[in-house]
Amino acid sequence: DIQMTQSPSSVSASVGDRVSITCRASQGISSWLAWYQQKPGKAPKLLIYAASRLQSGVPSRFSGSGSGTDFTLTISSLQPEDFATYYCQQGNRFPLTFGQGTRLEIK
Amino acid sequence: QLQLQESGPGLVKPSETLSLTCTVSGGSISSSTYYWGWIRQAPGKGLEWIGTIYYLGSTYYNPSLRSRVTISVDTSKNQFSLKLSSVTAADTAMYHCARVAATTGYYHMDVWGKGTTVTVSS
């Protein structure tokens, strides 16, 4: 199985800050990485797929980069509604696997 | 607009079989470009992929659950289902169904159901 490791596990930031979350795959997955946002009690929401493609309807302050084993999700200017938990997921091969999550908290 | 809705018992006894159904509305389950999947999340934990099915019936399962999982599809009802046998307390979780976008062998979940909570307890 491909293991996905996110860092940090949690981060505190303020509205307007720029924040980056990283995800590392245990083996190369080309650009087959997705990012999800999950708020408490809600289903995950797809933000980014194929490492850098913005899902329709997702604000442009979200961006993704990387290929191979190292990936980054960046939020350019945090908004109040962005405080949530973020997960990466490799889609290169079955079994599909997720990172452990990064909790983004208000400072 | 495509919507997915999970249904099934919220309480299952240990050693019994968990059975859930996902009803797809606003689109056809018989699409050549999508698969359909189940993902779960134990309380306070991360996301765990359970398995995925194509409308023609091919399935892919998480190796950690493969011996206990069966996913099936009913195209006439636009539904797909999950069965997990011999459940224990460790199977207590929120269970989500999702549409799995598949592009040249790459998979991600682009539409999710709200989820249903399943508790395993006697």
Side-chain angles (χ1 to χ4, degrees), chain B residues 36-110:
Chain B
W36 306 90
W38 289 96
I39 301 96
R40 71 179 183 179
Q41 187 170 33
K45 302 297 185 182
L47 300 167
E48 179 182 30
W49 174 75
I50 299 171
T52 291
I53 190 165
Y54 191 54
Y55 79 97
L56 292 176
S58 54
T59 52
Y60 307 86
Y61 296 138
N62 190 322
S64 68
L65 299 169
R66 180 175 288 130
S67 63
R68 299 193 292 130
V69 171
T70 302
I71 297 177
S72 59
V73 64
D74 186 338
T75 55
S76 68
K77 295 182 179 179
N78 229 32
Q79 295 176 334
F80 61 106
S81 298
L82 167 70
K83 290 188 185 299
L84 182 65
S85 64
S86 304
V87 298
T88 69
D91 295 309
T92 293
M94 175 74 78
Y95 285 76
H96 294 277
C97 59
R99 187 175 75 173
V100 182
T103 305
T104 59
Y106 160 69
Y107 307 92
H108 61 271
M109 283 66 77
D110 66 346

Side-chain angles (χ1 to χ4, degrees), chain A residues 1 32-34 36 38 42-44 46 49-50 55 87 89 91-92 94-96 98, chain B residues 39 41 45-49 52 60 62-63 96 105-110 112-114:
Chain A
D1 299 3
W32 305 136
L33 185 98
Y36 301 88
Q38 187 179 34
K42 300 293 187 181
L46 177 66
Y49 64 98
Q55 175 69 351
Y87 294 93
Q89 173 246 319
N92 186 61
F94 293 115
L96 305 182
F98 292 90
Chain B
I39 301 96
Q41 187 170 33
K45 302 297 185 182
L47 300 167
E48 179 182 30
W49 174 75
T52 291
Y60 307 86
N62 190 322
H96 294 277
Y106 160 69
Y107 307 92
H108 61 271
M109 283 66 77
D110 66 346
W112 293 67
K114 292 181 178 180

Side-chain angles (χ1 to χ4, degrees), chain A residues 54-75:
Chain A
L54 198 66
Q55 175 69 351
S56 176
V58 174
S60 59
R61 62 181 180 273
F62 291 91
S63 63
S65 63
S67 66
T69 60
D70 294 311
F71 302 86
T72 301
L73 172 70
T74 299
I75 310 172

